[in-house]
């Protein structure tokens, strides 16, 4: 068990055992609020480790797929109960490795709890169809079957929730799993895996190999015995994953970038819209794929909105997420902070107006962390890079508009399509927007973040590849349909021919 004081050397989990990596190398898990604090060391796994994990999952699949789904679900129910008991401890550990504030890491663990209970319920659902046949004395039905070994590659921003979004539906539908979590936040996935193990998952059903993309992720994708891949991360890496899956037609789910917009109409409740823009833009330090990194504001209320929005952003308290007085934590890493810095420069060069922020926070309590001021660019042209590209940091670009048609054009004028929001009191505007916004998720009078686990989650364009996570959509991804015809007529009956007479 990890404690707040003693950094521990963690191991991979393969075939029900905690084992060292064959590589002998480790990756350090450090606190982004204080990089001198080592949370733990985790294996830098290689292809050999990955292949062992996949072999264990392949072997366990033989019996797991035949375990009754309600029995599989009982393990998930037990896991959810353990997560409930240990929520606070796991949230604290998550803040230490990921940086987001405690209220949010509690939310992350809660999302894992919600998903685990939801998918446990699927143990007694997973419905198929029964339907009349076109021929007499013939029975027709469809059933869901598992896919096989699922390779799950998960990001650092929701280090327990997202592994649970993938692992829980995979497991309850009878797949076995190998997870490769992001190297920045391995402890939260370790905690989830440990809970599932404690809940009674048989050896080999769930395996975890820690490490980076090239060392552990690539061999996992390319292993011929992984039948399904689910990846959440950047569009750039998603393309590599997609290409790796294509030659063997591996079932592949990609959840990638976003540049999500909040549209504020002149009839909006202004204070509500500002609450939403602050939470959507700076919650999780802007490091959500659903983050509201663009706000389009009607010109009639533009000046009033900008004034209040900037004042609120200035009042956000930035610091160590374990301190309850803090509103916004650090960026995940030095690299991520560099990306933020470079976009601040890009925005200024493009002529966007830097209304607040724009600097790294240094010295004192900030000396060893990757902190950045909440930053707002105003008067942006929708074509500017800061208004179009995903930054994944505390930077929001504000764009003025005149009509709802213009706002929707701005919203749709980018390559991503995850989430969008409109603040309005006009029902016509709300309905127009929900119809015409080209995203997988639309919010009315709420920010772009905050999806619930029982509804489909995902996006279109460069955000996704046609699949969804969460809810029943996840069950669709982690199963294949099998259609079964039973002819009890005792004679040859030809579909489309013998019923045509
Ligand atoms: C993500 O940013 O990768 O809707 C997931 C939300 C969260 C999940 C975000 N429930 O913002």
């Amino acid at each position: 068990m990890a404690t707040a004081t003693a950094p521990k050397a963690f191991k991979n989990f393969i075939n029900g055992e905690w084992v060292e990596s064959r590589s002998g190398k480790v990756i350090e898990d450090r606190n982004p609020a204080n990089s001198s604090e080592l949370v733990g060391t985790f294996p830098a796994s290689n292809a050999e480790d990955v292949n062992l994990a996949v072999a264990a999952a392949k072997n366990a699949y033989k019996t797991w797929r035949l375990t009754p789904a309600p029995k599989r679900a009982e393990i998930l129910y037990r896991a959810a109960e353990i997560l409930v008991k240990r929520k606070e401890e796991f949230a604290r550990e998550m803040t230490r490795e990921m940086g987001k504030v405690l209220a949010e890491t509690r939310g992350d663990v809660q999302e894992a709890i919600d998903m685990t209970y939801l998918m446990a319920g699927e143990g007694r659902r997973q419905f198929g169809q029964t339907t009349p046949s076109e021929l007499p004395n013939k029975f027709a039905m469809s059933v869901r079957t598992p896919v096989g070994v699922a390779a799950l590659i998960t990001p650092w921003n929701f280090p327990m929730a997202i592994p649970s979004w993938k692992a829980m539906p995979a497991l309850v539908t009878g797949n076995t799993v190998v997870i490769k979590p992001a190297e920045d936040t391995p402890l939260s996935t370790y905690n989830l895996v440990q809970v599932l193990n404690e809940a009674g998952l048989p050896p080999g059903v769930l395996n975890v190999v820690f490490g980076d993309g090239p060392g552990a992720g690539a061999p996992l994708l390319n292993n011929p015995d992984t039948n399904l891949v689910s990846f959440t991360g950047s569009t750039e890496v998603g393309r590599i994953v997609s290409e790796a899956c294509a030659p063997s037609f591996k079932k592949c789910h990609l959840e990638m970038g976003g540049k999500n917009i909040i549209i504020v109409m002149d009839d909006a409740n202004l204070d509500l819209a500002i609450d939403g823009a602050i939470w959507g833009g700076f919650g999780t330090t802007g490091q959500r794929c659903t983050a509201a990194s663009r706000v389009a504001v009607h010109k009639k209320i533009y000046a009033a909105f900008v004034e209040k929005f900037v004042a609120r952003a200035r009042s956000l308290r930035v610091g160590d997420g374990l301190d309850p007085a803090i509103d916004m934590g650090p960026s995940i890493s030095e690299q991520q902070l560099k990306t933020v810095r470079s976009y601040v420069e890009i925005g200024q060069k493009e002529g966007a107006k830097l209304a607040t922020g724009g600097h790294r926070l240094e010295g004192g309590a900030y000396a060893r962390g990757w902190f950045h001021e909440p930053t707002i660019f105003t008067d942006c042209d929708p074509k500017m890079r800061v208004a179009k590209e995903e930054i994944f940091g505390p930077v929001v670009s504000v764009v003025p508009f005149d009509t709802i048609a213009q706002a929707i054009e701005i919203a749709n004028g980018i390559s991503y399509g995850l989430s969008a929001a409109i603040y309005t009191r006009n029902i016509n505007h709300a309905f127009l927007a929900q119809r015409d916004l080209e995203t997988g998720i639309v919010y009315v009078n709420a920010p772009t973040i905050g999806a619930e686990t029982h509804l489909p989650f995902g996006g279109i364009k460069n955000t996704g590849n046609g699949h969804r996570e969460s809810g029943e959509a996840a069950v669709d991804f982690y199963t294949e349909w099998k259609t079964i015809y039973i002819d009890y007529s005792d004679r040859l009956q030809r579909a489309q021919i013998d019923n045509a007479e």
Side-chain angles (χ1 to χ4, degrees):
M1 241 332 295
T3 68
T5 45
K8 182 179 154 178
F10 291 85
K11 295 177 183 172
N12 287 331
F13 188 63
I14 299 177
N15 209 19
E17 315 235 335
W18 297 100
V19 292
E20 305 277 0
S21 163
R22 299 296 185 277
S23 77
K25 295 190 185 124
V26 297
I27 296 176
E28 292 182 337
D29 182 13
R30 289 189 174 272
N31 183 345
N34 175 5
S35 64
S36 62
E37 186 185 325
L38 183 63
V39 177
T41 61
F42 286 80
S45 305
N46 61 20
E48 225 184 310
D49 302 309
V50 168
N51 295 345
L52 285 169
V54 173
K58 189 181 178 189
N59 190 45
Y61 179 64
K62 290 182 210 150
T63 43
W64 185 244
R65 79 179 180 91
L66 300 176
T67 305
K71 288 275 162 223
R72 298 194 291 248
E74 280 170 21
I75 299 170
L76 267 58
Y77 277 120
R78 281 200 292 278
E81 275 156 34
I82 301 169
L83 285 171
V84 169
K85 278 201 207 98
R86 300 183 67 181
K87 178 173 169 180
E88 188 60 23
E89 173 197 345
F90 290 163
R92 286 185 172 274
E93 290 189 345
M94 193 187 294
T95 294
R96 283 181 68 221
E97 71 169 353
M98 193 276 166
K100 59 187 177 183
V101 298
L102 254 185
E104 292 191 33
T105 52
R106 287 183 189 123
D108 193 308
V109 179
Q110 188 58 46
E111 207 162 332
I113 293 168
D114 295 346
M115 184 57 83
T116 307
Y117 276 126
L118 175 70
M119 287 301 151
E122 289 299 332
R124 288 185 188 270
R125 286 191 290 266
Q126 300 181 40
F127 301 123
Q129 301 109 13
T130 59
T131 171
S133 162
E134 67 184 40
L135 292 162
N137 296 328
K138 193 176 169 194
F139 183 85
M141 65 179 167
S142 65
V143 296
R144 292 184 182 276
T145 61
V147 183
V149 175
L152 310 181
I153 301 181
T154 58
W156 47 260
N157 66 336
F158 277 81
M160 188 178 276
I162 291 182
S164 81
W165 289 10
K166 300 183 193 299
M168 300 311 169
L171 292 171
V172 80
T173 53
N175 303 280
T176 54
V177 170
V178 179
I179 308 185
K180 202 298 278 176
E183 61 268 34
D184 287 311
T185 54
L187 180 56
S188 297
T189 311
Y190 166 89
N191 285 337
L192 184 70
V193 170
Q194 197 202 38
V195 163
L196 281 159
N197 182 36
E198 193 184 324
L201 217 51
V205 170
L206 175 71
N207 307 273
V208 61
V209 281
F210 297 101
D212 62 16
L220 184 57
L221 294 176
N222 293 316
N223 187 307
D225 288 330
T226 54
N227 308 95
L228 167 156
V229 174
S230 180
F231 165 82
T232 299
S234 69
T235 300
E236 192 190 349
V237 176
R239 197 162 277 122
I240 297 171
V241 173
S242 180
E243 284 170 6
C245 291
S248 59
F249 310 113
K250 254 176 226 189
K251 202 168 183 183
C252 169
H253 160 250
L254 304 172
E255 193 55 59
M256 303 171 285
K259 186 75 181 179
N260 315 287
I261 198 164
I262 292 180
I263 297 171
V264 186
M265 297 301 297
D266 54 343
D267 53 42
N269 173 339
L270 199 61
D271 289 331
L272 184 69
I274 283 158
D275 280 347
I278 289 286
W279 172 228
F282 301 114
T284 327
T285 319
Q287 300 174 117
R288 293 197 193 203
C289 52
T290 52
S293 47
R294 301 188 284 163
V295 184
V297 184
H298 196 287
K299 279 187 185 154
K300 275 195 196 150
I301 51 152
Y302 187 79
F305 178 91
V306 164
E307 194 192 321
K308 285 192 176 187
F309 185 42
V310 166
R312 280 285 300 281
R314 279 201 185 123
S315 74
L316 291 174
R317 290 153 302 187
V318 181
D320 184 337
L322 286 174
D323 176 348
I326 292 300
D327 300 307
M328 191 183 100
S331 293
I332 184 70
S333 62
E334 187 172 16
Q335 189 50 44
Q336 200 64 38
L337 182 63
K338 272 194 191 141
T339 305
V340 172
R341 307 280 313 118
S342 75
Y343 271 101
V344 168
E345 260 178 50
I346 289 168
Q348 283 172 303
K349 281 200 192 120
E350 289 177 310
K353 187 172 157 202
L354 184 62
T356 185
H359 305 101
R360 179 179 177 174
L361 289 160
E362 284 167 299
Y366 299 126
R368 293 201 162 81
W370 314 122
F371 295 99
H372 196 274
E373 289 173 331
T375 298
I376 298 175
F377 280 115
T378 55
D379 303 354
C380 296
D381 183 291
K383 294 204 171 52
M384 287 176 178
R385 288 183 61 192
V386 285
K388 277 169 61 178
E389 296 175 16
E390 183 173 56
I391 301 174
F392 232 63
V395 182
V396 178
S397 303
V398 185
V399 184
F401 70 86
D402 281 307
T403 64
I404 183 154
Q406 252 180 25
I408 289 174
E409 198 183 313
I410 292 166
N412 293 342
I414 54 155
S415 65
Y416 298 111
L418 181 54
S419 182
I422 182 163
Y423 279 80
T424 179
R425 284 162 163 148
N426 180 323
I427 193 153
N428 297 355
H429 289 155
F431 269 82
L432 268 175
Q434 64 80 22
R435 186 192 63 192
D436 291 342
L437 287 166
E438 294 169 358
T439 54
I441 306 168
V442 173
Y443 289 91
V444 176
N445 292 328
T448 54
I449 67 177
E452 302 179 29
T453 55
H454 53 301
L455 290 148
F457 179 93
I460 58 174
K461 297 159 117 179
N462 281 350
T463 298
N465 67 336
H467 298 290
R468 290 291 185 274
E469 304 205 81
S470 293
E472 222 188 310
V475 178
D476 288 338
F477 180 69
Y478 290 97
T479 57
E480 291 281 6
W481 283 114
K482 184 178 279 180
T483 307
I484 303 161
Y485 299 103
I486 300 163
D487 190 322
Y488 53 99
S489 70
D490 240 0
R491 62 194 173 94
L492 175 67
Q493 301 197 88
R494 297 168 301 174
Q496 294 90 39
I497 296 173
D498 290 331
N499 62 338
E501 286 153 16

